[in-house]
Amino acid sequence: MFVWSLLLIVAIAAVAFLLARSRMASPGNGRLHSLPGYHGLYVALWTGLPSLLLLLFWTALHGPLMDHFILHTLPADMLADAGTGKRQLLLSEIQTIANGQIFGQPNAAMLAAAETYKDWKNLANLAMLALGFAAALLGLSLAWRRLAPAFRARQGVERVLNGIMFSCAAAAVLTTLGIMFSLLFESARFFEMVPLHEFLFGLNWEPQIPLRDDQIAGLGAFGAIPVFAGTLLIAAIAMLIATPIGILSAIYLSEFASSRFRTTAKPLLEMLAGVPTIVYGFFAILVVAPALRQFGASIGLDVAPNSAFAAGAVMGFMIIPFVSSLSDDAISAVPHSLREGSYGLGATQAETIRLVLLPAALPGIVGGVLLAVSRAIGETMIVVMAAGLIAKMTANPLDAVTTVTVQIVTLLIGDTSFDSPKTLAAFALGLMLFIITLILNVIALKIVQKYREKYD
């Protein structure tokens, strides 16, 4: 019903746009302050936006309200000592029965609650459709009355669009703040159970503790240094491969390659970023890791079946497009006058690239490298398949290691209870990863501000 209500609002707004534009385009209106299209857009915005906001508000509100009231239609003995989990199970069963999926023989109270839920849902859908239609007509009526040759429709449209853009920016900021506060809150709960110094400076990561009374596990150790060491090791291997190849590819494509070769090679290079990561994981575990073990055995090196080098190498090729594409765009955007001035002073092409183009394109290149670093740190599937799950304190790229993202996924899979240090450790790892990424951003900005060249 939400989709039908949305389509109805869009249809009414489109009709309002056409009618308002046609009215103001008639010759009898004389000289207009704004174009007829602005008048039509003004009426369409005030027809669609209020009803759309009402529709979103109604959709977000009526579900929890229905769940709250439908539970109170059940007998009191069914809700006695019912916690949040049991209430959710009752609601899920009621909704399942209301959808016609009946398993077994539910009791009469559940059947009655399901019928009530079904009736309320149909009534809520009709009410949503009626409210959306009424709000659209009300907005159309109010906006229609303001149409006049002297009406500043363009300014009105710009104010509405500015409000929409501000709302989108505010939503992005509030979402980021929400993520930060959720990480801080859950991490604070974790550090109430595990000392901060143990997490930051501990050298042993074994978070396997019992979550139920019938489980057998150790007491758990939450030293995060091995996890972050594995993350940085794999990311460093990936960047050692991706950075030089990406930057040199960008220099060749922008300065040496013909236009025909560039239009073919650049899309092919960027296709590497579109390959699913699980495909890279299969390639790493089936091709790269065995080849690396065979090569290591031939020269007397002991290479683990899952190694940081195998994961980092494949990840490095995966993130090459992030470096090459942004670097290519940054180098190509350098004004041709700088190139011509350098050649006019007698510099060679290599000297022009090294002394003029790269300093001028440094912000874009650093941005591409930073994006690639973030992608490497956040990768999960390749590491799971090619590097392993065991946290080991090592700098040897031929050993098996794990990363922060892999541990977060591992901690939140299966029988989870968000009141134990095992699951809350995932939020602490996420918070530390967020802080590390922020520090990398600050360092990159400082580097750009210090070394970039400024031109008029």
Side-chain angles (χ1 to χ4, degrees), residues 107-320:
N107 57 44
M110 297 296 290
L111 290 173
E115 288 295 326
T116 303
Y117 178 84
K118 188 175 181 180
D119 294 338
W120 287 2
K121 186 176 180 180
N122 293 332
L123 182 61
N125 288 333
L126 293 176
M128 179 174 60
L129 185 62
L131 284 175
F133 183 72
L137 291 182
L138 179 61
L140 172 60
S141 175
L142 294 176
W144 190 269
R145 295 179 181 179
R146 303 196 64 181
L147 294 181
F151 177 59
R152 299 174 178 269
R154 181 172 62 85
Q155 285 81 351
V157 170
E158 290 175 351
R159 284 194 297 269
V160 174
L161 294 179
N162 286 335
I164 293 175
M165 289 186 287
F166 175 80
S167 300
C168 292
V173 173
L174 292 177
T175 302
T176 304
L177 291 177
I179 294 173
M180 291 176 55
F181 283 121
S182 64
L183 286 176
L184 289 172
F185 176 76
E186 299 296 341
S187 299
R189 293 178 57 195
F190 170 76
F191 291 124
E192 290 177 357
M193 305 176 187
V194 177
L196 178 62
H197 64 85
E198 178 184 343
F199 178 78
L200 294 179
F201 305 107
L203 301 179
N204 187 20
W205 178 265
E206 296 179 0
Q208 303 303 321
I209 63 174
L211 296 179
R212 300 191 307 265
D213 295 336
D214 58 345
Q215 286 183 322
I216 299 176
L219 297 178
F222 297 93
I225 287 185
V227 180
F228 285 99
T231 302
L232 296 178
L233 177 61
I234 293 179
I237 295 172
M239 295 310 300
L240 286 175
I241 294 175
T243 302
I245 295 178
I247 294 178
L248 292 176
S249 300
I251 293 174
Y252 177 78
L253 290 175
S254 62
E255 298 300 315
F256 295 97
S258 62
S259 59
R260 182 177 180 181
F261 180 82
R262 173 186 168 87
T263 55
T264 304
K266 187 174 181 180
L268 291 177
L269 187 62
E270 292 175 347
M271 285 177 60
L272 292 174
V275 178
T277 56
I278 192 170
V279 176
Y280 284 107
F282 279 123
F283 178 73
I285 195 172
L286 296 178
V287 178
V288 177
L292 185 61
R293 289 192 66 192
Q294 185 177 1
F295 177 76
S298 65
I299 60 176
L301 291 177
D302 185 17
V303 182
N306 296 323
S307 64
F309 186 82
V314 175
M315 191 186 303
F317 283 99
M318 182 190 69
I319 62 178
I320 284 175

Side-chain angles (χ1 to χ4, degrees), residues 334-345:
V334 176
H336 286 283
S337 59
L338 298 180
R339 295 176 173 84
E340 295 169 357
S342 177
Y343 294 145
L345 292 174

